[in-house]
Amino acid sequence: MSTTSIQSESTQRPVQVAKRLEKFKTTIFTQMSILGNKHGAINLGQGFPSFDGPDFVKEAAIQAIRDGKNQYARAFGAPELNSAVASRFLQDTGLVVDPEREVTVTCGCTEAIAASVLGLINPGDEVILFAPFYDSYEATLSMAGAKVKCITLRPPGFAIPLDELRAAVSSETRAILMNTPHNPTGKMFTREELEAIASLCIENDVIVFSDEVYDKLVFEMDHICIASLPGMYERTVTMNSLGKTFSLTGWKIGWAVAPPHLTWGIRQAHSYLTFATSTPMQAAAVAALEAPESYYTELKRDYSEKKEILVKGLKEVGFEVFPSSGTYFVMVDHTPFGFGDDVAFCEYLIKEVGVVAIPTSVFYLNPEEGKNLVRFAFCKDEEMLRGAVERMKLKLKRVV
């Protein structure tokens, strides 16, 4: 049989996917980036930097490869990296953790999320999310067979509606999956909000999955790790990664910090998801986590300047721009430009204006709640940011 006939026969078959994933499509980031590439658009959509990570970290990876660190690493992490993660966790939270029993290295934070959920959540368990949410959360919970409840954070401040949360949490709740600083809104959970979550978790014996990958990208306030609050470490999985802080998103080095009784389930899932993580990149991650405090000071300064360029430009274009205290994202209301929903606006923005943004309706259980909002990323060089703003000033016109 010729290659042509095999391809012809295979294209007639309907695509196959497990029922638990039927509702999920190609990620919105991939969709928008592909469309952006087709139209030569400036990509302020997907959250990867347009610039490279620091030389000292890259050189450490090159040296590790030359030194022969190229075979499987220990399943739950190279000892040096586990120790470096524990040291950073102590600096950030004041908590002493055992690198051998309480740190698990994963293929990025996305795998840390997957291993935590698949290792600790049973089919039918109730898990609470805050919408809008990073899209992998819902998909991973679906794969685990969880029952999802959602609490919506609303503009302009995206504050947690604490009365709604208190009504939602009960003895049936197994876990809360949260993200601070928050993607896509840029919100940072306040101490009052975190203390309210902690109180509910302790009262109802609920565990917390806390995604904190943007913990070093903060502007107006300090990041608070919920595991550091009284009574919370024993019921919290804190997840983080190298990619956002060190502009190395393609390396996929992440980790989960949790007490031993939760780490057991995480490691069981991790062993059968990826088993181990890139050995030379783990060696380089040690060098990254040992960076001096001056690195983080400079990082914050650089991102503050980029944020100012984009926020000022978006306001001049005519968007309503909502406050962003952390991450490298900004949310805006697109409705002054007359489009019925976020997807239609973003498609027009790419095809006719030449700029990529992300429609946020995909980050809600009820897409209607996000149809007026789009997300821009400012993890780009200044030329890209200014160029995108100029294109929007030239071609976008308010109608209201």
Side-chain angles (χ1 to χ4, degrees):
M1 185 179 290
S2 69
T3 302
T4 302
S5 63
I6 291 173
Q7 291 175 342
S8 176
E9 182 179 330
S10 66
T11 56
Q12 296 174 11
R13 292 174 175 264
V15 296
Q16 298 183 32
V17 65
K19 290 185 181 298
R20 60 184 173 273
L21 291 174
E22 278 182 337
K23 69 169 285 189
F24 303 101
K25 302 176 182 178
T26 303
T27 72
I28 195 65
F29 309 108
T30 299
Q31 292 178 47
M32 293 295 113
S33 291
I34 289 173
L35 191 61
N37 289 337
K38 179 179 178 181
H39 292 274
I42 297 173
N43 194 342
L44 303 189
Q46 196 165 359
F48 58 83
S50 65
F51 40 86
D52 217 353
D55 287 340
F56 75 92
V57 183
K58 293 184 291 183
E59 289 300 324
I62 293 168
Q63 189 61 50
I65 293 170
R66 288 176 174 156
D67 289 346
K69 296 181 179 179
N70 299 307
Q71 307 309 321
Y72 290 130
R74 187 176 65 172
F76 59 88
E80 299 84 1
L81 180 54
N82 287 55
S83 294
V85 169
S87 294
R88 171 172 160 176
F89 197 71
L90 173 60
Q91 292 174 359
D92 291 344
T93 68
L95 297 172
V96 176
V97 299
D98 183 344
E100 295 298 297
R101 301 173 65 235
E102 299 176 278
V103 176
T104 305
V105 176
T106 59
C107 292
C109 189
T110 299
E111 197 227 332
I113 295 162
S116 299
V117 168
L118 294 173
L120 295 169
I121 298 298
N122 288 308
D125 280 353
E126 181 182 282
V127 179
I128 292 176
L129 287 180
F130 296 100
F133 44 75
Y134 176 48
D135 61 350
S136 83
Y137 296 168
E138 186 190 2
T140 302
L141 289 169
S142 178
M143 285 188 275
K147 175 185 174 183
V148 178
K149 270 188 182 179
C150 212
I151 304 295
T152 300
L153 311 181
R154 295 178 172 82
F158 299 100
I160 297 176
L162 293 178
D163 288 342
E164 287 184 38
L165 180 62
R166 292 186 184 101
V169 177
S170 71
S171 59
E172 300 299 312
T173 306
R174 168 63 173 157
I176 294 174
L177 174 48
M178 54 174 275
N179 171 214
T180 182
H182 185 257
N183 174 17
T185 66
K187 171 195 167 50
M188 293 179 65
F189 287 23
T190 66
R191 180 172 291 277
E192 178 189 5
E193 290 170 333
L194 292 172
E195 288 176 346
I197 293 170
S199 176
L200 290 167
C201 289
I202 293 168
E203 179 183 348
N204 294 280
D205 194 22
V206 173
I207 62 175
V208 170
F209 301 121
S210 186
D211 174 355
E212 302 183 12
V213 295
Y214 300 100
D215 64 334
K216 298 299 183 185
L217 297 174
V218 297
F219 306 107
E220 280 82 34
M221 58 189 291
D222 292 332
H223 170 72
I224 301 170
C225 175
I226 193 168
S228 69
L229 299 185
M232 285 306 294
Y233 179 72
E234 66 192 56
R235 62 181 66 256
T236 301
V237 180
T238 306
M239 301 168 289
N240 211 316
S241 75
L242 195 75
K244 305 302 190 295
T245 304
F246 291 92
S247 304
L248 296 165
T249 58
W251 285 19
K252 299 299 290 180
I253 299 292
W255 52 85
V257 178
H261 68 280
L262 297 180
T263 292
W264 175 254
I266 297 166
R267 289 183 177 179
Q268 287 295 94
H270 167 68
S271 293
Y272 298 105
L273 285 170
T274 60
F275 176 70
T277 305
S278 170
T279 303
M281 299 312 178
Q282 289 193 59
V286 174
L289 292 180
E290 292 176 348
E293 200 61 34
S294 59
Y295 173 81
Y296 301 106
T297 301
E298 185 176 345
L299 179 78
K300 181 176 178 179
R301 187 190 69 238
D302 289 349
Y303 270 111
S304 294
E305 292 172 357
K306 295 177 189 298
K307 177 187 172 186
E308 183 178 356
I309 291 169
L310 183 59
V311 169
K312 181 174 181 289
L314 291 172
K315 289 179 178 178
E316 290 172 351
V317 170
F319 290 102
E320 180 181 1
V321 182
F322 300 115
S324 172
S325 299
T327 76
Y328 42 52
F329 302 118
V330 174
M331 292 269 277
V332 304
D333 186 332
H334 68 81
T335 55
F337 300 97
F339 290 83
D341 61 52
D342 55 328
V343 175
F345 174 78
C346 286
E347 288 179 349
Y348 176 87
L349 193 67
I350 291 171
K351 295 175 182 178
E352 304 300 329
V353 181
V355 176
V356 181
I358 296 295
T360 67
S361 55
V362 298
F363 303 143
Y364 294 80
L365 288 186
N366 176 10
E368 285 291 306
E369 292 182 327
K371 71 176 185 177
N372 294 339
L373 306 173
V374 298
R375 188 196 79 178
F376 288 93
F378 54 88
C379 50
K380 314 295 177 181
D381 60 64
E382 291 188 12
E383 182 180 357
M384 286 183 67
L385 295 171
R386 295 185 191 281
V389 168
E390 288 308 310
R391 289 186 182 189
M392 289 187 283
K393 284 182 178 179
L394 186 63
K395 296 185 177 181
L396 271 183
K397 305 298 180 186
R398 288 180 62 116
V399 297
V400 293

